[in-house]
Each structure stands twice: as C-alpha cells, then as structure tokens.
Amino acid sequence: MTAVTDTQATIAAVRRDVAALHAELTRYQLVVWTAGNVSARVPGHDLLVIKPSGVSYDDLTPDNMVVCDLNGAVVDGEHAPSSDTEAQAYVYRHLPEVGGVVHTHSTYATAWAARGEPVPCVLTMGADEFGGEIPVGPFAVIGDDSIGRGIVETLRGSRSPAVLMQNHGVFTVGPTARAAVKAAVMCEDVARTVHIARQLGAPLVIDPSDIDSLHDRYQNVYGQQKDRR
Amino acid sequence: MTAVTDTQATIAAVRRDVAALHAELTRYQLVVWTAGNVSARVPGHDLLVIKPSGVSYDDLTPDNMVVCDLNGAVVDGEHAPSSDTEAQAYVYRHLPEVGGVVHTHSTYATAWAARGEPVPCVLTMGADEFGGEIPVGPFAVIGDDSIGRGIVETLRGSRSPAVLMQNHGVFTVGPTARAAVKAAVMCEDVARTVHIARQLGAPLVIDPSDIDSLHDRYQNVYGQQKDRR
Amino acid sequence: MTAVTDTQATIAAVRRDVAALHAELTRYQLVVWTAGNVSARVPGHDLLVIKPSGVSYDDLTPDNMVVCDLNGAVVDGEHAPSSDTEAQAYVYRHLPEVGGVVHTHSTYATAWAARGEPVPCVLTMGADEFGGEIPVGPFAVIGDDSIGRGIVETLRGSRSPAVLMQNHGVFTVGPTARAAVKAAVMCEDVARTVHIARQLGAPLVIDPSDIDSLHDRYQNVYGQQKDRR
Amino acid sequence: MTAVTDTQATIAAVRRDVAALHAELTRYQLVVWTAGNVSARVPGHDLLVIKPSGVSYDDLTPDNMVVCDLNGAVVDGEHAPSSDTEAQAYVYRHLPEVGGVVHTHSTYATAWAARGEPVPCVLTMGADEFGGEIPVGPFAVIGDDSIGRGIVETLRGSRSPAVLMQNHGVFTVGPTARAAVKAAVMCEDVARTVHIARQLGAPLVIDPSDIDSLHDRYQNVYGQQKDRR
C-alpha cells in the first residue's frame, strides 16, 4: 500500500470511530439535540476528525465527519466542523499524549461548573478514574484560544482527564477517543452521585493515600491487558 | 402544478413534518401521555397544522394531523384539534415571524413556572439559545385569548423563544416548527441544569456583555449555513 | 353467539387489554421488576382480570393474566394472581363506577406517601386530572381488607382518581383500565414536578375557582368525543 | 451423561444465565460503561462464573464469561475476570447459602454509601425486600480480603440482601443470581424513593412489628410457588 492510500485508510478508520462513539453520548444522555461532540487525532498526522456542526446524532455517518488540521481549518469534509473545533485543536497542539477529546453539557457536571465548584473525590469511582477532584477551568467565551488554553492549563495541574469549564460544560481527554468518551460518562456519573450525596449531608472524606492507591491500581491493572487505556 | 394542488402538496409536507417532530418530544421525555404538542404555520397561507387532541404519540400520522385557520377553526381533519389550538392560533396571528409553536409541561421548566420564577442565564447554553433568562408569562385559564395573549406579550419583551406560563408549562416558538422543538428541548435542559446547580448553592453570574456576544454568535454562526435556524 | 361464548370473548378482550396496558407502566418507568400491576373489571360480570404475581413485564401475555371473582378468588388462570388482588377486588365491590385499577410504587408519588403528605394542586395539569390535591390514604398492612378500605374511603372524599397510600405507593382508578393507567402516569408526573418546584421555594397557589373550572373543562371537553375518559 | 459432561452442561447454563442477567443492570440504569457485574455460584462445584473485566455490556456472551475457583483464580476463560472477583469469591466461601452476587455503583444507593448512612425502612417495599434498613459496610480498598470481609460481616448482622460499601457502591446477594439482581434493582429503587422523600421533610416511621410481618409475608407468600426467591 502506498503512503497516500495508507493515510486514507487511517483517516477512514478514524471517521468510523468518531461517528460511532457519539452513540455513547446519547446512550448515557450526556447530550441533547446537537450539543456535544467527539473528536480524535489521526495517528501519525497533524489532523483531527470531528463532528459536523449542528447535525443530529441520528444523521452522523463516517462520511459526514470533518477532517481538520490542528489549527482547526477544514482539510476534508462537506460540512462545517463543530464550533468547538478551535478549542479541541488547541488541546491536540499542546497535549501530544491526547488522542481524543469530548465535549458535553451533561447535566450534573455542568451544574457544578455553573457554581464554579470542583467535584470532590468522595467515591472510589472518582479516585479510580480522576485521581482526585474533577477540576474547574476558567470562564471563557468562544471565538479565540481562551477555551483551549483554559482546558490545557487546568488539565496540566491535575490527574483528571475531565475539566468543568465554568458556566459552560465538560471537556474530557484520553489517549484514544474511546477513553475520552469513557471519561465523559464517568464524569457525569460521579458528578451526579456526589451531588445527590451532598443534598442530604456531607459525604465522608477518602484519605489521600487511599485515593492514590486506588488511582494507581485502576490505571495499571483494571480491564483486559490488550485494552488498557 | 395548479395553485390548488400546490397548496395540497404544501399542506401534506407540513402534516408530515408536524407528525414526525412529536418524536423529539418523547425522545427527550418532555411529555407524558398526550400532554404536549407541535404546530406549524402553512407557509403562504393563513393556516396551521396541529396535533389532534388526546391521541397517543404512537398513533400520530400525517393523516390524523388537523388543519385549522388562524382563528383555530378546523379546515381539514377528522379529529378535534389540540385543546391548545386557540392559544397557538393567537400566536400565529400576532407574531408573523413565527413558523412553529410547541407546548409541553416538561418537568423542570414547569417547576420554575409553578414558582413563577424565570430561569436565570448562568450557562453559556442559556445565553446561546435564549439570550438571557427564560421569562415567565401570566397565569391564564384555557378558554379565551388569555393564554395566547400572555405568550405573545411575554415573548415580545424578551430575546427568548421560550416562555414559562405560570403554574402551567412551556410554550416555545421559532421560524420553523423544528426550531420551536429545539427551543423546547433546550428550555428543559437549561431549566434542569440551573435547578440542579441552584440546589447546592448560587450559580456564578455571567456578564451581560458576554451573554450578548454568545447569543449573537450562536444565532449567526452556529450550524451548517443551509440549516441556520 | 351464545351467552357463554359471548362471555368468553369479553374476557379474552379484557385479558388482551390488561396485558397490553402494563407496557405503559414500564414506558413511563412507574414500576421496577414486578412491583406494580393493572386490573380491569369484566363488563357485565362480577369478575376482574389482573396481572399474575411475580411475573416479569416482558413475559406478560393475555393468556397468563388471571381471572378472579370480586372476592379475589381465582376463577381462571394457571398463575397466582397479584398479591394486590384482594385490595383491588374490594375497590370493584365498593365502587361500581370503577372499571380499572392500577397500583405502582412510582418514585415521586411514593416519596410524598412516605411523608404522608398530599400533593398540593399548584399545576393546571393537577387541576385538570385530579381536581385538587392528590390525597393520602392510611397506613395499612397487606392481608385483610384494610388496604382496599383505605383506598375506597380516601377516594370517596376527593375528586382525585389517585390515592397515595402512606409509606406504600399509589393506587389509581378509572372508568376503564386505560383511564386508571393514565391517572397513574399523571400522578407521577404531577408529584415529580411539584416536588421539584418545592425544592427551591414555595409554588404559587391556584385559586380554588380556577381549579374547579379547569377540572370541569378537562373532564368534559378534552380529547376526541369518542374517546372521552 | 458422564459426570464431566454434566459439569460442562451446568457451567454452560450458568454462563448463559450470568451473561443474560447483565441486561437487567443496564435496563434499570444501575451501571454505566463497564462498572458493575453479576456472578453466580456453579451449583455443586467450588466454582463461580463472573463478568470479564472492562468488557462492554453490549459485548457480553456466555462464551466470554469467566469461570473461577472460590479463591478467584481463573479456571476457564480467555478474559481476565472482573476486578471484583476476589471480593465475590470471599462471599461465596463464607456464605454457603449465597448462589449469586451483584455489584453496582447505582446512583442513589451509592449516594447514601458516600455519607456512610444506612437507608431507613420507611417504605413497605423496603420492609418486603430488606426487612429493615439497608446497612452500610466499612470503607475498604480493593486488593486484599477487606471488601469481601466487610460485605460478609455486614450481611451477617442484617436481614438485608444488600450492603452499601462506604464511599464505594452496592453489593447484593441471593440464593440465585436472579435474586441478587432483583435485590440490586430494589436497593436502588428504595434508596432513590427514600432520598426524595427526605428532601422535603421527615418520612413517617413504620412500626418494627409491621416491618416484621411485611417481611415475613413477602419472603414466604409473594410470587408463584415455583419461582419463590
């Protein structure tokens, strides 16, 4: 296979993956209408694949995904890319270990974001997946680098793959798009359970050393070896 | 095609559209049993198409939609129209830019309506879609113009396409029925997230100038050009 | 057709109706596992048809419904009838206008029942369907007439087709089983919306005369003439 | 049939049962992603069958279930077993009457667990299924016997088939895997309803003697004789 057809096959695979992963956002009710998206880096290329803007989840196919460069400019695709493309491109430019990014306005996580309050780590699931609290990033208006910069700066100061952008919603990252989707699912689940716990009193604190050991085991032992995130 | 068959084709298309859009109300659980409906203006005619009264969402077809004039009198259809027809006809008579109206009793939005309290604009999604708070209209009993008048007067004082009618539920409008359905979905999502944020403290305020710029961008840039709401 | 085959056809129709209506309980998530049921009076006979005890909703068919007399004794059926049969038989014996009874432990309605608190009428939907607050019946332990008696005495003092049995759950009645199912769906919807309204403050009061006129119109005008509840 | 093929048939039946029962965890939204599992004892053998670790619920088949001995060591299976296998094996070793174990992080039950607070018995459904409050077990970190020991010690002091492990989630047991799944469904339902009741005031107390009689009847009379839990 030539390098060109090899690249085409790689991009086709990423298009399929990104289109299909949106079904997890609707399955777990993390999104309504068209308000949320998945993107993935094209391995070995300075490219990303992302949801088209304003297209229903029912209508997503590999073909209508949009390929952009890492400045967010469209390289291939008949639709305009998600309006979150610039923020996500910024993340790929500045965090080379990131292979996938997800954005949602999932209800409970966004409620914490509306108060500008991180979700405390009071569940073993939170320790497993996030290694501590789920942090809050700055308020930032769409249109320049400020959302991307806020995501990157917040994630750099944390073990969490999720950041709650103030008054806005959730961005999650992962080595793959699938891992970023998993983090988005877990973020809402943890945000919801801690919210509900807090409604009737104060959750019990988990010792930081227990958080460390839970996080270490989960990141290194859980799941099938071939499928480790 | 003659003018008559042209009109028939237009009405047939609106019937299909209105019948199909009810599936979004059930998908997002904005309605139970038969308590909510979608209507659309027939473009170029003083007619509207609306759900029949008391018919299950499972049983809706283009054929059992009801065509009414803009005073709410049935022009074509074997069923009685929704009991909200008079209120919606009033909206079409007084707001010529409106092409679709939706009515629901969606849970969280109706909870704000029960307290007579507008939903404050503390989320970027609220700024995008509603351009500020989601306003409350007056208490009005079905049977005369008072619901329609309450909707129109409240919407005229606001950028919001949604109004919370006190102790009652939600009415939304849009240039198309699809846009009105989207506003109903977003209204419940914003009402729910702000409610949940408020349960554990005060949401952070968004600066009015940021609300303005978010709303302006969203109304003018978001989505595919051909599909702008 | 002879009188015997006529009765058989009538019972077969009620079996189909009762089996099918359980799908509305699961659709609206009013029940989990096997904890809720629908029954119907066999028109013109001192018989009722009810769900078998402990059988999954997925496995319900017209054939495994159970026919009982109005003392709750099995007349036809291979399964034991619902453990709520005695209570429902009591209702049919004492309220001749009732054609259907539904029992659920739907979440929000049961939460009001756990506090022994009626759901106040602060929504037009509550006025429409219940004509006032949804009342609370006494605490009663299964095994004698006390549940049935509590249902009947509470419903006799109210316009509501639903009663919240203290610390237990919901019983609803109607002229048909379908109407009782509708009342169960509406009861949970109203209980949930009023609960959520109350979480952030006091709902606004609806004037009793407005409740009366809403209830009167809904009971007499709403829906298709042929399908009036 | 020889003893060997008999054992193979028994294990094959348990594999089918365990794989299929996970559909109840997703149906009732007790789990997200891969965070929860069902196991069953192989009758007449010191073996258990459990979900593979990190495999999606959509992808579960009888074939990819994992057979382990009662120390948690894999006996048959191509995948690594659930990371909860050691805890569940401990339960089977120490509670010979247990035929099935379920683990979830279902939202409302886990919220009570985060506060270390048992769910009080203020619903007849709680009395029926749990015979009193749903108890809380100790905080325990995965990796040794401490989770299994915490489950066993807590269940021994209670009539409840469910235990809320502090800051973690739910474990339930039963004579069969199906009964343990039912207990997990009921645990979340009761935890949710009592939480919601408590949000607006104090639930009414049920007399301990009524709890006893409800529990006794439910465990001995409810359901079809052939299908008694």
Side-chain angles (χ1 to χ4, degrees), chain D residues 10 23 27 34 37 45 59-60 74 85 101-102 109 120 124 136 139 149 151 169 171 189-190 202 208 214 218 222 225:
Chain D
T10 300
R27 182 206 295 249
T34 64
N37 49 73
H45 299 272
D59 297 334
L60 297 185
V74 175
T85 303
V101 180
V102 170
T124 56
V136 176
F139 180 79
R149 210 168 52 237
I151 297 168
F171 286 85
D189 203 58
V190 167
L214 283 162
Y218 191 75
Y222 182 77
Q225 291 299 322

Side-chain angles (χ1 to χ4, degrees), chain A residues 176-196:
Chain A
T176 62
R178 185 169 186 80
V181 170
K182 183 192 176 187
V185 172
M186 293 302 195
C187 177
E188 180 63 5
D189 202 59
V190 167
R192 176 172 46 227
T193 305
V194 178
H195 176 95
I196 290 169

Side-chain angles (χ1 to χ4, degrees), chain D residues 164-205:
Chain D
L164 312 177
M165 293 299 284
Q166 185 188 311
N167 297 107
H168 181 179
V170 179
F171 286 85
T172 62
V173 300
T176 62
R178 185 168 187 80
V181 170
K182 184 193 175 187
V185 171
M186 292 302 195
C187 177
E188 179 64 4
D189 203 58
V190 167
R192 177 172 46 229
T193 305
V194 178
H195 175 94
I196 290 169
R198 184 78 85 74
Q199 286 187 313
L200 296 184
L204 298 170
V205 170

